[in-house]
Amino acid sequence: MNFDLPAGIQELVATTRAFREERLDPLEAQFLRDGNVPWELRPKLQAEARERGLWALDVPEEHGGRGLGQLAVCAVHEELNKHPMMFEVGGAPEPALYHCAPHQWDKYFASVVRGERRSAYAFTEPGAGSDLGGIATTAVRDGEDWVIDGGKIFIGLAERVEFLILFASTAPELGTRGVSAFLVDSGTPGYEVVRTIPTMGDAWDPCELRFEDCRLPADALLGELNHGFAGADRQLGHGRLKIASYQLGIAQRCLDLAVAYAQERTTWGQPIASRQGVSFMLADSAVELDAARLLVYRTAWQADEGRDVRIEAFKAKLYATEMAQRVTDRCLQVFGGRGYAKDSPVQSFFRQVRLWRIGHGTAEIHRWMIARDLLGPSAAEGSR
Ligand SMILES: Cc1cc2nc3c(=O)[nH]c(=O)nc-3n(C[C@H](O)[C@H](O)[C@H](O)COP(=O)(O)OP(=O)(O)OC[C@H]3O[C@@H](n4cnc5c(N)ncnc54)[C@H](O)[C@@H]3O)c2cc1C
């Protein structure tokens, strides 16, 4: 196995690094002070990234994208996530949108690739997070329409996007086998963003949504009736590898900062880097980061080879997110009080990585899925 990224991906990473250094890094002090940058800046920055080719990376060329693979996508996100603002490359439709019917394609898929519209996905409810079988939001047929009633919670960016990919129960007696996906335009009567939910993270807060007698036309159904759960799994699977790659950039940035600081900060006349108590924290972090990087790159490479990486993506996200938690914690410790101050990027990363052991599936559910793969479904049932 060649351990260097292919030359084309190295060039893409160099382009991404130049964009980050020129356009994102100057915003870091403001981001740390205010917990965000003005929201209007993000689409502008995405448009600038687009001019450099950073747009619709893994969208097939015939659909207007760059047709790149998962290794390239991971390498770009690793580089971007050395900045704490959680900057996303635009133009990539959510995986569920690949199931758009011909009459939905232009409005919901192609418009995202063109950069005209954005979407959020909504599974989670107050009574259904890890266990999506508990979805209580219903979609009931009334003549030609679907009528949606219920509520969603922790839905990222719902107040900023043009439409939702909503998962609702169309056959409650069938549990997860009775869930379907719907396309819901923002502003549809009966659909309301109730509030944003303040969280411990910077950058953005998720939303609570309410649906009351919300009428959708028959053609709002996305994909097959009662097959939404499989779509949900694919939707989350795609995100897992990308989230794992975020952790590489986060941990690398924190480690680089901590290595530099440990050499410059002195106590009792010696740099703290000369103390084993400090240098071993850096050494452990470097080893774990390398291990995570190999796991993420290998999984991305397998995906590009056309293999099924469902379980490998669970492993990559599980290991990388827990690695990033340990590395950001150690790096913050190396900085002492300076690491805890609001102008330190390390404290922002430290808080941010906590999300990724929960969002897109928790670490415990990932372990359960990996155990199930090892032991067979019935032997691992005790984990349920
Ligand atoms: C900032 C943020 C953004 C989010 N964005 C979105 C979004 O855009 N769209 C969306 O749909 N959702 C989103 N979520 C929701 C997220 O996906 C859920 O929080 C997550 O799936 C966990 O569900 P839960 O919070 O209901 O926890 P629960 O499922 O209630 O779990 C609570 C705890 O119990 C553990 N647990 C549960 N069952 C088991 C088991 N069988 N074995 C062992 N342990 C178990 C869990 O691992 C966890 O530790 C977001 C959440 C946050 C915090």
Side-chain angles (χ1 to χ4, degrees):
M1 183 179 172
N2 181 355
F3 284 93
D4 286 330
L5 289 172
I9 299 184
Q10 289 188 35
E11 276 171 38
L12 189 67
V13 170
T15 303
T16 310
R17 183 173 306 128
F19 172 74
R20 176 178 60 77
E21 288 174 353
E22 290 163 28
R23 299 301 294 122
L24 304 186
D25 288 359
L27 300 169
E28 186 165 274
Q30 180 187 13
F31 176 83
L32 294 173
R33 188 188 61 229
D34 301 341
N36 211 343
V37 292
W39 196 263
E40 316 73 70
L41 259 182
R42 287 183 184 257
K44 280 191 195 146
L45 290 166
Q46 281 188 331
E48 288 181 33
R50 184 178 189 170
E51 282 166 20
R52 301 184 195 211
L54 301 172
W55 186 263
L57 297 177
D58 57 352
V59 177
E61 284 174 298
E62 66 265 31
H63 298 322
R66 290 205 56 186
L68 298 171
Q70 293 309 305
L71 189 55
V73 170
C74 285
V76 166
H77 282 98
E78 175 179 350
E79 186 56 42
L80 286 173
N81 280 275
K82 292 176 183 168
H83 192 286
M85 71 183 270
M86 295 171 77
F87 181 81
E88 282 274 347
V89 174
E94 301 277 5
L97 294 177
Y98 282 84
H99 298 283
C100 279
H103 67 275
Q104 296 165 330
W105 190 263
D106 190 70
K107 185 173 177 189
Y108 295 102
F109 183 97
S111 67
V112 173
V113 181
R114 290 195 296 266
E116 295 161 4
R117 305 183 89 210
R118 292 153 305 170
S119 65
Y121 69 90
F123 309 122
T124 308
E125 301 187 358
S130 304
D131 180 7
L132 292 178
I135 284 185
T137 297
T138 53
V140 175
R141 224 44 219 265
D142 181 22
E144 286 298 295
D145 293 347
W146 288 101
V147 181
I148 313 286
D149 282 285
K152 296 283 173 183
I153 200 161
F154 293 121
I155 307 307
L157 302 177
E159 85 283 35
R160 309 247 173 223
V161 299
E162 284 71 28
F163 67 97
L164 270 190
I165 304 164
L166 172 76
F167 292 80
S169 178
T170 32
E173 69 286 1
L174 298 179
T176 53
R177 291 177 201 277
V179 172
S180 304
F182 294 88
L183 296 162
V184 186
D185 291 320
S186 301
T188 301
Y191 161 37
E192 185 192 353
V193 177
V194 181
R195 60 172 180 131
T196 54
I197 304 166
T199 66
M200 67 187 269
D202 292 329
W204 49 267
D205 288 320
C207 302
E208 181 176 349
L209 316 179
R210 186 187 300 139
F211 298 87
E212 267 177 15
D213 198 23
C214 173
R215 268 179 190 274
L216 304 177
D219 63 7
L221 178 71
L222 175 65
E224 273 185 73
L225 184 66
N226 294 336
H227 280 67
F229 186 69
D233 197 45
R234 272 194 300 276
Q235 171 79 31
L236 293 170
H238 174 89
R240 274 177 209 124
L241 192 53
K242 204 167 70 166
I243 289 169
S245 73
Y246 298 172
Q247 316 307 314
L248 308 178
I250 291 170
Q252 185 67 62
R253 173 83 193 287
C254 290
L255 184 58
D256 290 346
L257 289 169
V259 165
Y261 185 74
Q263 293 172 90
E264 136 205 336
R265 174 71 171 177
T266 57
T267 59
W268 287 275
Q270 295 291 327
I272 58 172
S274 67
R275 318 286 181 190
Q276 271 191 359
V278 171
S279 64
F280 280 17
M281 286 199 277
L282 300 174
D284 285 344
S285 297
V287 173
E288 291 173 24
L289 171 54
D290 262 1
R293 185 175 279 122
L294 288 174
L295 191 53
V296 172
Y297 284 9
R298 188 193 66 176
T299 307
W301 175 80
Q302 288 172 327
D304 291 342
E305 292 285 298
R307 299 193 206 168
D308 178 359
V309 296
R310 184 170 176 271
I311 297 297
E312 301 309 313
F314 281 127
K315 291 182 195 168
K317 179 174 169 264
L318 174 66
Y319 186 76
T321 52
E322 294 190 349
M323 175 282 297
Q325 193 79 63
R326 291 190 296 273
V327 170
T328 53
D329 182 48
R330 291 188 197 114
C331 292
L332 198 152
Q333 191 69 11
V334 168
F335 273 91
R338 283 175 179 75
Y340 192 71
K342 208 62 198 282
D343 65 359
S344 156
V346 180
Q347 60 76 30
S348 178
F349 285 125
F350 173 76
R351 287 180 288 114
Q352 184 195 125
V353 295
R354 196 65 188 82
L355 167 63
W356 300 123
R357 288 170 53 204
I358 299 169
H360 259 72
T362 67
E364 293 71 34
I365 302 301
H366 290 7
R367 284 192 167 84
W368 171 24
M369 291 299 132
I370 296 164
R372 203 169 186 265
D373 183 59
L374 287 171
L375 303 166
S378 52
E381 271 321 274
S383 322
R384 198 172 188 166

